Amino acid sequence: MEDRTGIYVFCCIQTEEEKDFGTIMFQDEERAVFTIHHKDAAMVAMEAPVKIYHPDKTNLMMHQQVISRVMNTENTVVPISFGNVFHTVEDTEVLLENLYPQLEELFPKVKNKIEIGLKVIGKQEWLEEQIHQDERVIKQKETVERKSEAAGYFDRIKLGEMAEDFFKETQRRVENSIHHPLVQISESSKTNDTLGEKMLLNGSYLIDREKEEKFDRVVNELHDEWKESVDFKYTGPWPAYNFINIKLKVEEPT
């Protein structure tokens, strides 16, 4: 039995006009991307089978490609997370009607705003050099090396705690030197959880489109200042993923 066709949603925009965002290849078929409306809110959507979609690379790229396309022409974009599909246009209209009080508040907050991401990764050589300059760590390491594995058990725990404290202090330095200057030119900002052993900052910044050039310039200046010690991973522009919390009820196929 073939999957029934429903409505897959990408994002909300503020408009009363019907919009045509071209087509996108999905599930081996070229699909039109269009809008569904309630008052001055519109859901950007396409027809797609009603089922659970896995967030693999191809599907996620398709979702982001459509949102990026919308962002190129619209200045008020509220993103919807990947994989939300509803049975009918009417169901989607009901969803929009229920979301409308939230959207009324969100539209002014994200109008002409974009999200920028910055991850700061410490270079291995620099991190090792920094920690080996700490006399307490050096002495504790010497203590561990003098003892047998059994006898030095608690000394190794203490050495691990010192290494963790060093890393946290290094993260604070990076936050003060890199994150805080970017906060000053952002409408809103947040630090997300860091991943791996060398990530010192995982920042998200909501900025006005008119300040994008200034923001880029400051990031470049900070990179020049820190380039011998860390790597920058600079991403965007994105819609305000990290500054919006809209939860949709995904319909299970029946």
Side-chain angles (χ1 to χ4, degrees), residues 72-84:
N72 287 335
T73 60
E74 303 296 321
N75 64 11
T76 307
V77 179
V78 174
I80 301 297
S81 60
F82 168 82
N84 290 283

Side-chain angles (χ1 to χ4, degrees), residues 38-239:
H38 176 74
K39 296 184 177 179
D40 65 340
M43 191 75 78
V44 178
M46 70 177 176
E47 292 187 350
V50 178
K51 64 179 184 178
I52 302 299
Y53 291 104
H54 298 290
D56 58 36
K57 184 177 180 180
T58 300
N59 287 340
L60 289 173
M61 285 183 63
M62 176 279 304
H63 187 88
Q64 185 54 49
Q65 184 180 342
V66 171
I67 293 178
S68 296
R69 188 185 299 174
V70 173
M71 287 183 66
N72 287 335
T73 60
E74 303 296 321
N75 64 11
T76 307
V77 179
V78 174
I80 301 297
S81 60
F82 168 82
N84 290 283
V85 58
F86 297 86
H87 284 301
T88 64
V89 169
E90 290 74 20
D91 289 339
T92 312
E93 290 171 340
V94 171
L95 166 69
L96 256 182
E97 184 176 357
N98 291 335
L99 286 177
Y100 191 75
Q102 291 183 66
L103 294 171
E104 271 192 308
E105 293 184 10
L106 284 172
F107 282 151
K109 294 178 181 178
V110 300
K111 185 175 183 178
N112 209 37
K113 305 292 191 304
I114 55 175
E115 179 178 320
I116 300 294
L118 177 64
K119 294 180 175 66
V120 178
I121 316 294
K123 293 184 176 180
Q124 185 72 34
E125 301 82 1
W126 178 74
L127 290 171
E128 291 177 354
E129 177 185 313
Q130 293 295 303
I131 196 170
H132 289 150
Q133 291 177 4
D134 189 318
E135 292 185 3
R136 295 176 307 150
V137 173
I138 294 172
K139 290 179 180 179
Q140 187 65 21
K141 187 176 181 182
E142 291 172 348
T143 299
V144 169
E145 291 173 347
R146 285 196 303 267
K147 295 184 178 182
S148 67
E149 184 173 345
Y153 176 74
F154 290 106
D155 291 304
R156 286 197 303 277
I157 290 177
K158 186 174 181 180
L159 180 61
E161 291 172 346
M162 286 181 172
E164 185 176 347
D165 289 342
F166 157 79
F167 192 75
K168 288 180 179 178
E169 178 57 33
T170 305
Q171 286 181 317
R172 282 192 288 270
R173 284 174 54 198
V174 166
E175 187 168 328
N176 288 333
S177 298
I178 298 176
H179 177 65
H180 287 174
L182 298 176
V183 170
Q184 301 304 312
I185 49 178
S186 303
E187 300 296 319
S188 185
S189 64
K190 64 185 298 185
T191 52
N192 308 302
D193 291 339
T194 54
L195 307 171
E197 298 179 349
K198 295 186 291 184
M199 186 178 293
L200 302 171
L201 174 67
N202 184 6
S204 297
Y205 308 90
L206 187 68
I207 64 173
D208 194 290
R209 287 179 185 269
E210 295 179 357
K211 293 184 179 179
E212 186 176 4
E213 185 176 335
K214 179 179 180 181
F215 194 89
D216 288 345
R217 184 172 68 250
V218 173
V219 169
N220 287 331
E221 291 170 355
L222 291 168
H223 176 263
D224 289 343
E225 181 183 340
W226 281 81
K227 64 183 178 182
E228 301 302 323
S229 308
V230 302
D231 293 317
F232 278 22
K233 294 189 182 299
Y234 189 43
T235 61
W238 311 106

